[in-house]
Amino acid sequence: MIPNSHTINQLLEVFKKHLDTLSKRKKKLYNIAYILIAGENDSYEEIDKLGDIAKELGIGVSLLKYNEIEFFDYKSITDERYEELFLRLKEKGIKVTLSNRYRTRKIGGCGTLMINRLNCTTF
């Protein structure tokens, strides 16, 4: 979903090399921030792959719920699906955290805050 980006394997190689230089204590500070978008990256297959990557890297996952923005067609997942995917990762032994209540509010989260600040009406 990131245009003009490197492949996931290239990105993971860079991340692995960096993590290998860290102490266990510092490595615990790293997480994969994963924004769930309904119908785009919330399938069991993708969540299981995310879990495999986190296990391989030895880091946790910050599971984030997408905040809908009126200018984009992407949709947020339901609260039930959010909890289901959280539990699926937990069952795989992954250290996983959820968005706090402020990030899941309509005016919360990085993208929506920036859009509101810019007072954008078109893209």
Side-chain angles (χ1 to χ4, degrees), residues 7-9 11-13 15-16 19 27 31-34 45-61 89 92 94:
T7 67
I8 188 70
N9 289 333
L11 295 172
L12 288 173
E13 276 307 309
F15 204 24
K16 283 179 196 175
L19 288 172
K27 192 174 182 180
N31 276 333
I32 297 172
Y34 192 83
E45 180 183 348
E46 288 166 308
I47 293 302
D48 291 344
K49 180 66 177 169
L50 173 63
D52 293 342
I53 290 170
K55 265 190 175 179
E56 182 182 337
L57 295 174
I59 59 175
V61 172
L89 286 172
K92 290 177 78 66
I94 306 300

Coordinates of all heavy atoms in Angstrom, one line a residue, residues 7-9 11-13 15-16 19 27 31-34 45-61 89 92 94:
T7 N 10.6 -3.6 -1.4 CA 9.8 -4.8 -1.2 C 9.8 -5.0 0.3 O 10.7 -4.6 1.0 CB 10.3 -6.0 -1.9 OG1 11.6 -6.3 -1.3 CG2 10.5 -5.8 -3.4
I8 N 8.8 -5.8 0.8 CA 8.8 -6.1 2.2 C 10.0 -6.9 2.7 O 10.5 -6.7 3.7 CB 7.5 -6.9 2.6 CG1 7.3 -7.1 4.1 CG2 7.4 -8.2 1.9 CD1 7.0 -5.8 4.8
N9 N 10.5 -7.7 1.8 CA 11.8 -8.5 2.1 C 13.0 -7.5 2.3 O 13.8 -7.7 3.2 CB 12.0 -9.6 1.1 CG 11.0 -10.7 1.2 OD1 10.5 -11.0 2.2 ND2 10.8 -11.4 0.0
L11 N 12.8 -4.4 3.2 CA 12.6 -3.6 4.4 C 12.9 -4.5 5.7 O 13.5 -4.0 6.6 CB 11.1 -3.1 4.5 CG 10.8 -2.1 3.4 CD1 9.3 -1.8 3.5 CD2 11.5 -0.8 3.6
L12 N 12.5 -5.8 5.6 CA 12.8 -6.7 6.7 C 14.2 -6.9 6.9 O 14.7 -7.0 8.1 CB 12.0 -8.0 6.6 CG 10.5 -7.9 6.8 CD1 9.8 -9.2 6.4 CD2 10.1 -7.5 8.2
E13 N 15.0 -7.0 5.8 CA 16.4 -7.2 6.0 C 17.1 -6.1 6.7 O 18.0 -6.2 7.5 CB 17.1 -7.4 4.6 CG 17.0 -8.8 4.1 CD 17.6 -9.8 5.1 OE1 18.7 -9.7 5.6 OE2 16.9 -10.8 5.3
F15 N 15.7 -4.0 8.8 CA 15.2 -4.1 10.1 C 15.9 -5.1 10.9 O 16.4 -4.9 12.1 CB 13.7 -4.3 10.1 CG 13.0 -3.8 11.4 CD1 13.5 -2.8 12.2 CD2 11.8 -4.4 11.7 CE1 12.8 -2.4 13.3 CE2 11.1 -4.0 12.9 CZ 11.6 -3.0 13.7
K16 N 16.1 -6.3 10.3 CA 16.9 -7.4 11.0 C 18.3 -7.0 11.3 O 18.8 -7.2 12.4 CB 16.9 -8.6 10.1 CG 15.6 -9.4 10.0 CD 15.8 -10.6 9.1 CE 14.4 -11.2 8.7 NZ 14.5 -12.2 7.7
L19 N 18.2 -4.6 14.3 CA 17.8 -5.3 15.5 C 19.0 -6.1 16.0 O 19.2 -6.2 17.3 CB 16.6 -6.1 15.3 CG 15.3 -5.4 15.2 CD1 14.1 -6.3 14.8 CD2 14.9 -4.6 16.4
K27 N 16.0 -3.9 22.4 CA 15.2 -4.6 21.4 C 13.7 -4.6 21.8 O 12.8 -4.6 21.0 CB 15.7 -6.0 21.1 CG 15.2 -6.6 19.9 CD 15.9 -8.0 19.7 CE 15.4 -8.7 18.4 NZ 16.1 -9.9 18.2
N31 N 8.5 -2.3 18.2 CA 7.3 -2.9 17.8 C 7.0 -2.7 16.3 O 7.5 -1.7 15.8 CB 6.1 -2.4 18.6 CG 5.9 -3.0 19.9 OD1 6.2 -4.1 20.2 ND2 5.3 -2.2 20.8
I32 N 6.2 -3.5 15.7 CA 5.7 -3.3 14.4 C 4.4 -2.6 14.6 O 3.5 -3.1 15.2 CB 5.5 -4.6 13.6 CG1 6.8 -5.3 13.4 CG2 4.8 -4.3 12.3 CD1 6.7 -6.7 12.8
A33 N 4.2 -1.4 14.1 CA 2.9 -0.7 14.1 C 2.2 -1.1 12.9 O 2.6 -0.9 11.8 CB 3.1 0.8 14.2
Y34 N 1.0 -1.7 13.1 CA 0.2 -2.3 12.0 C -1.2 -1.7 12.0 O -1.9 -2.0 12.9 CB 0.2 -3.8 12.1 CG -0.3 -4.5 10.9 CD1 0.5 -4.8 9.8 CD2 -1.6 -5.0 10.9 CE1 0.1 -5.5 8.7 CE2 -2.1 -5.7 9.8 CZ -1.2 -5.9 8.7 OH -1.7 -6.6 7.6
E45 N -4.8 -14.7 6.9 CA -3.5 -15.0 6.3 C -2.5 -13.9 6.6 O -1.3 -14.1 6.9 CB -3.7 -15.2 4.8 CG -2.4 -15.4 4.0 CD -2.7 -15.6 2.5 OE1 -3.8 -15.6 2.1 OE2 -1.7 -15.5 1.8
E46 N -3.0 -12.6 6.4 CA -2.1 -11.5 6.7 C -1.7 -11.3 8.1 O -0.6 -11.0 8.4 CB -2.7 -10.2 6.1 CG -2.7 -10.2 4.6 CD -3.6 -9.2 3.9 OE1 -4.8 -9.1 4.3 OE2 -3.1 -8.5 3.1
I47 N -2.7 -11.5 9.0 CA -2.4 -11.4 10.4 C -1.4 -12.5 10.9 O -0.5 -12.3 11.7 CB -3.7 -11.5 11.3 CG1 -4.5 -10.3 11.0 CG2 -3.4 -11.7 12.7 CD1 -3.8 -8.9 11.3
D48 N -1.6 -13.8 10.3 CA -0.7 -14.8 10.7 C 0.7 -14.5 10.2 O 1.7 -14.8 10.8 CB -1.2 -16.2 10.1 CG -2.4 -16.7 10.8 OD1 -2.7 -16.2 11.9 OD2 -3.1 -17.6 10.2
K49 N 0.9 -14.0 9.0 CA 2.2 -13.6 8.4 C 2.8 -12.5 9.3 O 4.0 -12.5 9.6 CB 2.0 -13.1 7.0 CG 3.3 -12.7 6.3 CD 4.3 -13.8 6.1 CE 5.5 -13.4 5.4 NZ 6.5 -14.4 5.4
L50 N 2.0 -11.5 9.7 CA 2.5 -10.5 10.6 C 3.0 -11.1 11.9 O 4.1 -10.8 12.4 CB 1.3 -9.5 11.0 CG 1.6 -8.5 12.0 CD1 2.7 -7.5 11.6 CD2 0.4 -7.7 12.3
G51 N 2.3 -12.1 12.4 CA 2.8 -12.8 13.6 C 4.1 -13.5 13.4 O 5.0 -13.5 14.3
D52 N 4.2 -14.1 12.2 CA 5.4 -14.9 11.9 C 6.6 -13.9 11.8 O 7.7 -14.2 12.3 CB 5.3 -15.6 10.6 CG 4.3 -16.8 10.6 OD1 4.0 -17.2 11.8 OD2 3.8 -17.2 9.6
I53 N 6.4 -12.7 11.2 CA 7.4 -11.7 11.1 C 7.8 -11.2 12.5 O 9.0 -11.1 12.8 CB 7.0 -10.5 10.2 CG1 6.9 -11.0 8.7 CG2 7.9 -9.3 10.3 CD1 6.2 -10.0 7.8
A54 N 6.9 -10.9 13.3 CA 7.2 -10.4 14.7 C 8.0 -11.5 15.4 O 8.9 -11.1 16.1 CB 5.9 -10.1 15.4
K55 N 7.6 -12.7 15.3 CA 8.3 -13.8 16.0 C 9.7 -13.9 15.5 O 10.7 -14.0 16.3 CB 7.6 -15.1 15.8 CG 6.7 -15.5 16.9 CD 6.2 -16.9 16.8 CE 5.3 -17.2 18.0 NZ 4.8 -18.6 17.9
E56 N 9.9 -13.9 14.2 CA 11.2 -14.0 13.6 C 12.1 -12.8 14.1 O 13.3 -13.0 14.3 CB 11.1 -14.0 12.1 CG 12.4 -14.1 11.4 CD 12.3 -14.0 9.8 OE1 11.2 -14.3 9.3 OE2 13.3 -13.7 9.2
L57 N 11.5 -11.6 14.2 CA 12.3 -10.5 14.6 C 12.5 -10.4 16.1 O 13.3 -9.7 16.6 CB 11.7 -9.2 14.1 CG 11.6 -9.0 12.6 CD1 10.8 -7.7 12.2 CD2 13.0 -8.9 12.0
G58 N 11.6 -11.1 16.8 CA 11.7 -11.1 18.3 C 11.1 -9.8 18.9 O 11.6 -9.3 19.9
I59 N 10.1 -9.2 18.2 CA 9.5 -8.0 18.7 C 8.0 -8.1 18.8 O 7.4 -9.0 18.3 CB 9.9 -6.8 17.8 CG1 9.5 -7.0 16.4 CG2 11.4 -6.5 17.8 CD1 9.7 -5.8 15.4
G60 N 7.4 -7.1 19.4 CA 5.9 -7.1 19.5 C 5.2 -6.4 18.4 O 5.9 -5.9 17.4
V61 N 3.9 -6.3 18.5 CA 3.1 -5.7 17.5 C 2.2 -4.7 18.2 O 1.5 -5.0 19.2 CB 2.2 -6.7 16.7 CG1 1.2 -6.0 15.8 CG2 3.1 -7.7 15.9
L89 N -3.3 -13.0 17.4 CA -1.8 -12.8 17.6 C -1.4 -13.2 19.0 O -0.3 -13.8 19.1 CB -1.5 -11.3 17.4 CG -1.5 -10.8 15.9 CD1 -1.4 -9.3 15.9 CD2 -0.4 -11.5 15.1
K92 N -0.7 -16.8 19.3 CA 0.6 -17.2 18.6 C 1.8 -16.8 19.5 O 2.9 -17.1 19.1 CB 0.7 -16.5 17.2 CG -0.2 -16.9 16.2 CD -0.1 -16.1 14.9 CE 1.0 -16.5 14.0 NZ 1.1 -17.8 13.4
I94 N 2.6 -13.7 20.5 CA 3.1 -12.4 20.2 C 2.7 -11.4 21.3 O 1.6 -11.4 21.7 CB 2.5 -11.9 18.8 CG1 2.7 -13.0 17.7 CG2 3.1 -10.6 18.4 CD1 4.2 -13.3 17.5

